[in-house]
Amino acid sequence: MQPFTARTIDIISSIPPGKVMTYGQIAAAAGSPRAARQVVRILHSMSSKYGLPWHRVVNGKGHIALQDESAFQEQTWNLEAEGVEVLPGGRIDLDRYQHQYRPDSSRGQSP
């Protein structure tokens, strides 16, 4: 596994219930600020294998980015079940719900 992929998986795994991160925010935290599309690919291909909380990742404007209606609805329900208010159009208030990743707060690392 490539280092960027491993860091991305660790960061996504660290997003707590009731919080979200953006694709670009994850890419930057993993060391490659311009790799938001790679984060999308990692989520798509590895969410099941690693049990990633894929529903806690949104686009840079705070919107659910899934185009498929059933997947969009599933992400909405998952977020709402964790206490995240999903506004009309699938928008999440990033000021309120955005997780600020800190490497010392990720799994497997001590503070």
Side-chain angles (χ1 to χ4, degrees), residues 22-78:
T22 68
Y23 299 105
Q25 180 188 11
I26 293 165
S32 189
R34 297 176 54 146
R37 289 188 179 172
Q38 185 62 25
V39 173
V40 173
R41 286 187 204 87
I42 291 167
L43 271 174
H44 179 73
S45 64
M46 300 186 172
S47 284
S48 293
K49 181 176 182 178
Y50 291 96
L52 298 176
W54 61 271
H55 62 282
R56 297 180 190 147
V57 183
V58 297
N59 72 19
K61 294 181 180 180
H63 287 88
I64 293 174
L66 299 172
Q67 299 300 310
D68 177 73
E69 182 62 33
S70 64
F72 180 96
Q73 201 57 247
E74 182 180 359
Q75 186 170 10
T76 299
W77 290 331
N78 286 336

